[in-house]
Amino acid sequence: MKETIHIFHTNDVHSHFNYWFRSQAFVKAQRTLFAARGESSLLIDLGDHMDRSNIYTEATLGRGNVELLNEAQYDVVTLGNNEGITLSFDELVELYAEAQFEVIVGNLQATAVPNPDWMKPYTIITTKYGTKIGMIAATAQFNAFYEELGWHVSEPRLNLVETAYRMRGEVDILLCLSHLGINEDRLLAEECPIIDVIFGAHTHHILPDGELVNGVLLTGGGKFGQYTGHLTLQFDRETMQLQKRDRLIENALLSEVGNEMERLHALHEEAKQQLQTPLFQLTKTYHKEWFHRSQLSDLFAAALFDYADADCAMFNAGIFVDHLAKGNVSAYAIHKTLPHPINLCVIECTGRELKEIYMQSQNEEWPRLELKGLGFRGIIFGKVLHYGLTMDKKRKLFINNKLVEPDKTYKLATLDTFTFGYFFPNFKYAKKHYLLPSFLRDILREYCKKKFE
């Protein structure tokens, strides 16, 4: 007999809930219809469902996202980097404590204690007709971040290949939940053709009908809740042949649900209420500017030097999305100013390297760049600002009015955004220390609580 199995999949929602309630209502209706036909269905998420730039996620530390996944009756999810490295160790351990679905990730291991009970390396689901579906998963290898947070993340493709070959004899269908990106997915398909489908995420790629690589079907559903994927499998239990077809459903075109706007507003108001407690009081407004220094950038620089052992600091003015207004300041107000899931990083570099960095930062195209990703959640990049670091008309570089020595090592406090190779390629290979788990807003908040108490 032939069995039809449906798998709905989401990825990289990043707490963009504009279409969440209509898409989940659609999936629920479809699953009800399929069940009436005697056809099995599953609902899975491929990670980065949460993003702490969203006020609801920030207020609940992602547990609100888990509630939404529970309500939608997800079956299996894996972790993206936004779940894995934007929460402290304890916060991640608690994240899925109330999950009513399975959480699988094969390449993540706590370094000091056993993994939490909810974290499984794989799962096997048996349909009503006895078909065994194996699911394996892995997340992107952000080593430097995970190690600082108390986790070890192993090489994902190696882990997946080993697990796939170990499981293949136990299951009829083998699926992979990948938060690795399209290039890694293609390499995995070439290395491990015994996987039937690789559900893709992380690089926000869009594959309207999937992509076949070495006989393995790859999927990709974009980002921010744009699409819901629908994989249809037809499994012949006698011949063990599997047919597979994937399509993307554009969520913006789905019918609105009746209380959609009210629910979105309720999430925001619930979060706002939780974060409205006054933390400190300002006697003036600290204004932002995107193309030069400002009162707010001066205050933020002082917070960085108070927090980090550094000789100088560098950051882009576009990180300030809003002013800090006079009067009582709450966590909600600070989040509006600095919504990014960005950490501070201290880089060790020679005076010669520091001069090269300074010159690179003068790129005239950067200030108006509409930056997307790399942790940045603002509007435009803004001017790169330097504190403790100046250059005269003869291009001599000074740190706190002392001439920089070419061979001396200095410590530069900067944003992790700059260390991923896009702006300053040399930063990828420099000696650096990420200061985790505090975000930029946490550093500013704690400094202001001391300064203005």
Side-chain angles (χ1 to χ4, degrees):
M1 72 171 267
K2 288 186 178 180
E3 179 182 2
T4 301
I5 303 165
H6 303 270
I7 301 179
F8 293 93
H9 53 95
T10 56
N11 65 276
D12 298 286
V13 173
H14 284 273
S15 296
H16 283 65
F17 300 131
N18 289 354
Y19 305 128
W20 175 258
F21 296 107
R22 70 177 69 174
S23 66
Q24 294 309 312
F26 171 81
V27 170
K28 184 177 181 180
Q30 290 291 294
R31 296 186 74 181
T32 301
L33 176 64
F34 295 143
R37 296 178 186 170
E39 299 173 354
S40 301
S41 67
L42 296 169
L43 178 56
I44 66 174
D45 184 79
L46 311 176
D48 276 5
H49 185 273
M50 61 165 273
D51 190 315
R52 289 182 60 184
S53 62
N54 177 282
I55 195 68
Y56 179 67
T57 299
E58 174 73 359
T60 63
L61 293 175
R63 292 189 293 273
N65 293 68
V66 173
E67 291 179 13
L68 292 175
L69 292 166
N70 283 341
E71 181 184 311
Q73 297 181 324
Y74 272 71
D75 296 289
V76 184
V77 310
T78 193
L79 275 67
N81 45 287
N82 272 271
E83 286 85 13
I85 63 176
T86 70
L87 297 169
S88 71
F89 181 89
D90 289 338
E91 288 165 351
L92 178 53
V93 167
E94 290 296 319
L95 178 62
Y96 296 104
E98 302 299 323
Q100 297 166 15
F101 46 83
E102 293 193 75
V103 184
I104 60 171
V105 57
N107 65 325
L108 195 59
Q109 179 65 52
T111 54
V113 295
N115 278 358
D117 291 339
W118 52 258
M119 187 181 292
K120 308 296 184 185
Y122 61 86
T123 189
I124 298 175
I125 294 174
T126 304
T127 70
K128 62 186 293 186
Y129 299 107
T131 300
K132 291 186 176 182
I133 303 173
M135 292 189 180
I136 59 178
T139 195
Q141 195 176 16
F142 287 86
N143 280 325
F145 291 85
Y146 277 113
E147 288 171 4
E148 288 288 337
L149 291 167
W151 301 94
H152 172 69
V153 57
S154 59
E155 205 289 318
R157 289 206 322 272
L158 178 62
N159 177 276
L160 290 169
V161 171
E162 289 178 347
T163 307
Y165 277 98
R166 190 167 62 249
M167 287 182 64
R168 182 71 259 197
E170 302 177 29
V171 299
D172 302 302
I173 300 170
L174 184 57
L175 309 176
C176 174
L177 282 61
S178 164
H179 198 89
L180 306 178
I182 183 62
N183 292 332
E184 290 290 306
D185 291 351
R186 288 168 176 156
L187 290 171
L188 177 61
E190 293 289 356
E191 293 176 11
C192 194
I194 64 170
I195 298 173
D196 293 303
V197 181
I198 299 173
F199 294 98
H202 187 50
T203 45
H204 303 170
H205 51 284
I206 298 173
L207 301 175
D209 302 304
E211 177 181 308
L212 203 61
V213 177
N214 199 23
V216 182
L217 181 65
L218 275 55
T219 79
K223 64 179 179 178
F224 300 167
Q226 294 170 292
Y227 300 99
T228 299
H230 178 195
L231 174 74
T232 303
L233 300 174
Q234 285 194 326
F235 179 61
D236 190 321
R237 296 182 55 80
E238 293 181 1
T239 65
M240 303 299 287
Q241 294 297 305
L242 180 68
Q243 294 180 337
K244 46 206 176 186
R245 178 174 59 88
D246 192 58
R247 69 184 182 99
L248 294 180
I249 300 154
E250 189 170 354
N251 292 328
L253 302 181
L254 296 174
S255 299
E256 293 185 30
V257 293
N259 61 345
E260 186 172 86
M261 296 307 298
E262 290 84 355
R263 292 208 62 184
L264 289 171
H265 180 71
L267 294 182
H268 183 85
E269 289 302 307
E270 177 186 340
K272 184 176 179 180
Q273 188 65 33
Q274 290 186 46
L275 299 177
Q276 280 287 32
T277 302
L279 301 175
F280 54 89
Q281 190 173 63
L282 296 178
T283 57
K284 66 175 183 179
T285 295
Y286 285 78
H287 293 279
K288 66 173 177 64
E289 299 288 349
W290 287 341
F291 302 109
H292 50 79
R293 286 191 180 191
S294 65
Q295 296 169 317
L296 186 53
S297 71
D298 290 347
L299 179 65
F300 180 70
L304 294 194
F305 283 119
D306 180 72
Y307 183 76
D309 177 21
D311 302 299
C312 50
M314 178 180 75
F315 53 87
N316 57 303
I319 60 173
F320 306 112
V321 179
D322 202 355
H323 310 295
L324 271 186
K326 176 181 177 180
N328 289 327
V329 178
S330 64
Y332 177 75
I334 294 177
H335 187 277
K336 285 177 61 181
T337 299
L338 289 166
H340 329 279
I342 293 177
N343 301 105
L344 194 64
C345 181
V346 175
I347 296 177
E348 294 187 21
C349 49
T350 65
R352 187 177 293 105
E353 292 167 334
L354 197 56
K355 185 174 182 178
E356 181 181 350
I357 292 163
Y358 188 96
M359 298 300 293
Q360 286 178 316
S361 72
Q362 304 304 302
N363 190 316
E364 294 180 357
E365 297 179 359
W366 288 357
R368 296 188 181 277
L369 176 67
E370 295 181 5
L371 179 62
K372 304 295 183 184
L374 302 177
F376 184 75
R377 302 293 185 261
I379 300 170
I380 60 172
F381 187 76
K383 181 179 176 59
V384 176
L385 305 177
H386 300 274
Y387 283 85
L389 193 64
T390 56
M391 181 175 282
D392 66 12
K393 295 180 180 179
K394 296 180 180 180
R395 292 192 173 183
K396 290 184 177 180
L397 195 64
F398 297 85
I399 288 183
N400 298 319
N401 300 318
K402 292 183 179 180
L403 185 65
V404 169
E405 300 175 30
D407 296 319
K408 183 177 178 180
T409 298
Y410 298 91
K411 292 181 179 180
L412 171 67
T414 191
L415 315 182
D416 66 20
T417 300
F418 292 158
T419 68
F420 301 132
Y422 182 83
F423 294 100
F424 301 96
N426 290 344
F427 281 2
K428 288 185 70 174
Y429 312 104
K431 184 177 180 180
K432 51 188 173 284
H433 177 52
Y434 293 100
L435 306 183
L436 306 176
S438 294
F439 289 149
L440 304 182
R441 58 178 171 269
D442 301 322
I443 295 170
L444 180 62
R445 181 192 65 229
E446 294 308 310
Y447 176 76
C448 289
K449 284 168 67 176
K450 292 187 296 183
K451 181 178 175 64
F452 302 114
E453 62 181 356

